[in-house]
Amino acid sequence: MGLCLDLGSCGFANRDKARFCAQCGIPTRGALLQGRYEIQQLTSKDRGTVTLQAIDRYAGQPVIVRALVPRESSAKTREDFLQDAELAVALSSRIQEAGSVRVVDYGQDGPLAFLVKSEYEPVTDEQGPTASAQSLAQVQRDIWKATQTPFFGLDDEDATVRMAVPGKHKTTQPQGQRDWLMEGNQAYEQGSYEEALGAYEAATAYNSSMVEAWSGKGASLLHLGRSEEALSAYDQAIALCADNPELWTSRGSVLHELGRYDEEMACYDQALKLNADYVYAWSGRGMALAEQNRPEEALLAFDRALLLDPRQCNVWQAMSDTLYSLQRYDEALLAIDRAFEIDDKRASLWDTKGNILRRMKQPEQALPLHEQATQLDAYNATVWFDQGNDLRDLMRFPEALASYDRALSLDPTLAGAWYNRGNVLAALHRYEEALASYDEALKYDEGLTSAWYNKGSLLHELKRHEEALVAFDRALAADAHYIAAWNNKGLSLFALGSLDEALAALDQATSFAPEEPDAWYNKAVVLEKLGRQQEALTCQQWAQSLDQRKGHIEV
């Protein structure tokens, strides 16, 4: 894998084989444009264009490539750019001054519209007559075609530019044969995974030892949700070249999708045996550990990945999420801010930072972050849900309800949104609608204990005590130490006249929480109703002493 050359605005982690960044579309380091211009580095970016240093592999000299950023350009912009470039080439052909910079070529490769500039060098007598830039380019292309195999069939040394694996296996093909590997890579970079898969399969049918084609096939199958087949493809690639850490790391990603976590970890370990500094194995290992609820180990892996490459935005975000899960909110905030320094255009980063601030009891600061997240990704149910939570905490209940409704229009299975929507409706005294919302939450997550409890409490308030008891029993089945559920169950039983059962429920509440006065007061009422006056007085006095103690502590 390799970072996008535009570290300031993108920094996306691409596969090693990618010629163009999957996020912004600019070429990656080592990519060949039209099989000729090898990209070296990005030198500047300005108003939707990038300037890159490159090597003209035909002429063996440095050139400058100026290109439109695909993500930021329209079809009309590209058409205008290429027309201007054509005119610039024609005008440059008239310039014969040594040292002058001329536009010598232009074109489109994949998503990229570009032009090429180079310094003019007069042709000496020994070199033959001077040719125009355009005719020279055409002659050089013809010579290349006559004397070299296509790019994807270069010899071993050059193959490492495109191959995910050091080129131990030649993948040359006869002149005129379709370059299925190139077609597969181009389709993959454009997100056309079915088309990419077909091309990779044709490539492996032509040459079964083409490692990159097997790897590309695995990646395409993974995107298509065919994980078992993806694993077989990566196994074939590894059988051909077992000493490549990227293949092992990719295999680990497939095993993660299959839920085979021990094997996944073994793949990352194997990748790190081959290259202890392979950053993507460390980051993959960290994310796997975090999902296995091993956060401290995950943080160590993230530390190692970031030590190797501190520009890994995804790793900073994963570290922040892990620290958040440990309730280390100050550190989580520092980590997400580091991610923001690399890329501030990801909705997930705004969302994560907003959640941290809300947990730090700062919903007024969290809200504008979540609003920005909804602008960046308006079809993401989670960010609307999180915005609703801010508005709920700020007691702006009608607006919170609108946010939850928007989230549920995008994902009606979001149990948390149904649950919080129920809470907001209850706060607005729209009780029947609140009950219906709790029912929707429980339809998608029967184990949502607090939804059962809140439903029971609302039914109790509505004097539907029999139904309330069912809900409290479901909450207690999930959590036998749910003190509030025992207390409210006791109140519902008392309302139904089941005094002995009410007392038993309140006994449970006072047993699990002997320092909470409410259950003791309620127990005193039940005991008095049963005619056990002295016991009732003792419970009442104890409840009063707890209240006084609490009041003293609070003061």
Side-chain angles (χ1 to χ4, degrees):
M1 298 184 183
L3 286 179
C4 175
L5 290 174
D6 185 6
L7 296 177
S9 302
C10 182
F12 187 75
N14 296 281
R15 295 189 307 142
D16 276 346
K17 67 168 66 178
R19 285 201 304 143
F20 302 101
C21 175
Q23 180 158 285
C24 71
I26 70 171
T28 58
R29 180 177 285 109
L32 281 183
L33 298 182
Q34 292 186 340
R36 174 174 181 176
Y37 304 108
E38 183 178 341
I39 301 301
Q40 301 294 302
Q41 63 183 2
L42 183 144
T43 58
S44 66
K45 180 181 180 185
D46 180 46
R47 292 176 298 186
T49 64
V50 288
T51 302
L52 306 130
Q53 291 183 1
I55 299 294
D56 181 347
R57 290 184 59 175
Y58 293 177
Q61 64 183 28
V63 294
I64 297 169
V65 172
R66 183 168 172 266
L68 292 176
V69 178
R71 184 179 64 180
E72 301 174 15
S73 60
S74 64
K76 180 65 167 60
T77 305
R78 290 191 290 273
E79 181 181 350
D80 292 344
F81 177 90
L82 292 171
Q83 287 178 354
D84 291 343
E86 182 179 18
L87 177 61
V89 168
L91 294 173
S92 293
S93 65
R94 304 171 188 170
I95 299 173
Q96 306 292 324
E97 183 180 345
S100 61
V101 176
R102 311 188 307 167
V103 179
V104 297
D105 199 1
Y106 70 96
Q108 187 156 350
D109 190 336
L112 196 78
F114 69 94
L115 59 80
V116 181
K117 300 178 181 180
S118 72
E119 186 175 310
Y120 176 68
E121 295 181 4
V123 179
T124 65
D125 292 339
E126 289 80 2
Q127 293 172 310
T130 301
S132 71
Q134 195 74 339
S135 64
L136 179 62
Q138 185 60 50
V139 169
Q140 287 171 330
R141 286 196 180 99
D142 290 342
I143 294 171
W144 175 263
K145 289 179 181 177
T147 60
Q148 300 284 347
T149 57
F151 172 64
F152 293 104
L154 297 178
D155 60 22
D156 291 350
E157 181 180 351
D158 288 334
T160 59
V161 177
R162 286 284 298 173
M163 295 287 281
V165 182
K168 293 185 177 179
H169 309 281
K170 291 189 178 183
T171 59
T172 56
Q173 54 195 52
Q175 184 70 28
Q177 173 72 28
R178 285 181 69 175
D179 195 333
W180 290 111
L181 182 58
M182 180 181 68
E183 291 184 27
N185 288 338
Q186 290 176 343
Y188 183 91
E189 288 157 10
Q190 294 165 8
S192 303
Y193 302 119
E194 289 282 5
E195 182 183 343
L197 178 61
Y200 289 134
E201 286 178 335
T204 57
Y206 171 74
N207 183 349
S208 62
S209 64
M210 195 179 292
V211 177
E212 190 184 28
W214 285 109
S215 176
K217 180 179 178 179
S220 300
L221 286 163
L222 185 60
H223 276 288
L224 293 168
R226 295 160 61 178
S227 301
E228 289 286 359
E229 296 170 82
L231 184 62
S232 296
Y234 279 118
D235 283 344
Q236 183 63 38
I238 288 172
L240 294 167
C241 187
D243 60 354
N244 185 268
E246 183 191 354
L247 293 176
W248 285 102
T249 301
S250 298
R251 185 177 189 269
S253 299
V254 178
L255 289 163
H256 180 84
E257 293 300 315
L258 292 168
R260 293 160 59 176
Y261 303 120
D262 290 341
E263 294 174 79
E264 176 192 8
M265 294 301 294
C267 283
Y268 299 138
D269 290 342
Q270 180 61 29
L272 292 168
K273 283 181 183 178
L274 295 167
N275 181 359
D277 293 332
Y278 189 54
V279 62
Y280 299 106
W282 282 112
S283 61
R285 193 173 194 278
M287 291 176 189
L289 288 165
E291 291 194 26
Q292 293 174 44
N293 198 28
R294 296 161 65 182
E296 297 293 349
E297 294 174 81
L299 289 174
L300 292 174
F302 293 144
D303 280 338
R304 183 63 183 271
L306 292 167
L307 182 65
L308 293 166
D309 185 356
R311 300 290 299 176
Q312 287 284 320
C313 183
N314 289 337
V315 181
W316 282 114
Q317 185 175 3
M319 173 177 275
S320 180
D321 289 339
T322 305
L323 290 164
Y324 178 91
S325 72
L326 293 169
Q327 300 182 23
R328 291 160 59 176
Y329 300 127
D330 289 333
E331 295 170 83
L333 194 59
L334 290 172
I336 205 66
D337 281 340
R338 290 297 299 273
F340 263 104
E341 292 172 9
I342 301 167
D343 183 0
D344 64 357
K345 293 181 174 60
R346 296 189 191 184
S348 60
L349 298 183
W350 292 91
D351 186 48
T352 297
K353 186 172 182 178
N355 289 340
I356 295 168
L357 289 168
R358 188 175 69 247
R359 287 292 185 182
M360 296 174 77
K361 310 299 182 186
Q362 299 174 40
E364 69 287 346
Q365 294 184 40
L367 180 58
L369 298 175
H370 285 133
E371 288 173 340
Q372 179 65 21
T374 62
Q375 291 178 24
L376 290 169
D377 191 357
Y379 297 99
N380 186 325
T382 300
V383 297
W384 286 103
F385 168 63
D386 290 333
Q387 178 180 279
N389 292 338
D390 296 336
L391 292 162
R392 174 206 61 197
D393 289 357
L394 292 167
M395 293 188 289
R396 292 161 58 177
F397 297 132
E399 295 169 86
L401 186 61
S403 289
Y404 292 138
D405 285 344
R406 181 63 183 275
L408 291 166
S409 72
L410 296 167
D411 182 3
T413 69
L414 200 58
W418 284 112
Y419 168 67
N420 282 2
R421 181 177 183 272
N423 293 339
V424 167
L425 287 164
L428 292 169
H429 305 290
R430 293 161 61 176
Y431 300 129
E432 293 298 336
E433 293 174 82
L435 286 172
S437 202
Y438 290 140
D439 285 339
E440 287 293 323
L442 293 166
K443 181 166 74 175
Y444 296 111
D445 184 359
E446 286 190 354
L448 195 56
T449 310
S450 53
W452 286 113
Y453 170 73
N454 284 7
K455 179 182 177 181
S457 298
L458 192 53
L459 288 164
H460 174 75
E461 290 297 318
L462 293 171
K463 303 188 185 307
R464 292 159 59 177
H465 302 300
E466 293 284 0
E467 295 173 78
L469 287 175
V470 173
F472 290 136
D473 283 341
R474 290 296 299 266
L476 291 166
D479 181 1
H481 292 77
Y482 203 147
I483 312 306
W486 283 115
N487 183 72
N488 285 10
K489 179 180 179 180
L491 295 179
S492 289
L493 288 163
F494 179 79
L496 290 168
S498 302
L499 301 183
D500 289 331
E501 293 176 76
L503 183 61
L506 292 166
D507 280 341
Q508 290 283 19
T510 55
S511 172
F512 291 134
E515 302 299 315
E516 291 298 322
D518 287 348
W520 288 104
Y521 278 121
N522 292 335
K523 188 174 178 180
V525 171
V526 176
L527 286 166
E528 185 174 9
K529 190 73 172 179
L530 287 168
R532 295 160 63 175
Q533 303 297 334
Q534 187 56 50
E535 292 174 82
L537 181 60
T538 300
C539 288
Q540 187 176 28
Q541 290 172 340
W542 176 245
Q544 290 171 345
S545 70
L546 290 173
D547 265 340
Q548 291 170 358
R549 191 185 310 169
K550 275 192 169 186
H552 177 71
I553 292 172
E554 288 173 3
V555 171

